[in-house]
């Protein structure tokens, strides 16, 4: 579910009021940098948009909880049988190359 991040520099022009507000929040210690503050605000905007699309924050949180519960990598592959099949396949290839 996680997408690879390929950061690229982007220039954004903020209104003086927004820039002042974000810089004040950095100075109060809410964020370590203006970049972090802008990223946090964008994340919050994305969350609010997702909640709106889902019909509310409760529904979004419910969906996220279900997705998180389903995202158990241990259920993706039966490792024991996978490696047994891999070993058997490699043994067969080795035997056929010798004969």
């Amino acid at each position: 579910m996680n997408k690879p991040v390929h950061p690229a520099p982007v220039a954004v022009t903020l209104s003086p009021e927004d820039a002042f507000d974000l810089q004040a929040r950095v100075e109060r210690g809410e964020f370590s940098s203006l970049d972090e503050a802008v990223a946090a605000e964008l994340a919050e905007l994305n969350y609010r948009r997702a909640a709106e699309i889902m019909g509310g924050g409760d529904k979004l949180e419910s969906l996220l909880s279900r997705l998180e519960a389903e995202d158990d990598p241990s259920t993706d592959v039966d490792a024991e049988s996978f490696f047994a099949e891999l070993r058997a396949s490699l043994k067969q290839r080795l035997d056929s190359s010798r004969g």
Side-chain angles (χ1 to χ4, degrees):
M1 177 154 242
N2 294 332
K3 295 179 182 176
V5 178
H6 303 286
V10 175
V12 176
T13 302
L14 300 174
S15 71
E17 295 83 15
D18 289 339
F20 179 80
D21 176 57
L22 287 176
Q23 186 59 47
R25 293 174 71 186
V26 169
E27 290 170 5
R28 285 194 306 264
E30 289 182 48
F31 303 103
S32 63
S33 68
L34 192 55
D35 288 342
E36 183 183 306
V38 170
E41 289 299 311
L42 287 173
E44 177 66 23
L45 176 62
N46 284 333
Y47 180 87
R48 286 188 304 223
R49 287 175 56 207
E52 183 179 313
I53 290 167
M54 290 298 300
D58 291 343
K59 289 182 180 178
L60 175 60
E61 288 300 322
S62 175
L63 172 65
L64 293 174
S65 293
R66 285 194 318 267
L67 291 173
E68 189 174 290
E70 291 173 5
D71 190 26
D72 180 2
S74 68
T75 63
D76 292 346
V77 174
D78 177 8
E80 222 173 284
S81 65
F82 172 81
F83 285 113
E85 289 174 28
L86 181 61
R87 283 191 302 272
S89 172
L90 290 173
K91 184 178 181 328
Q92 182 182 21
R93 288 173 57 194
L94 178 64
D95 291 345
S96 67
S97 70
R98 290 181 178 166

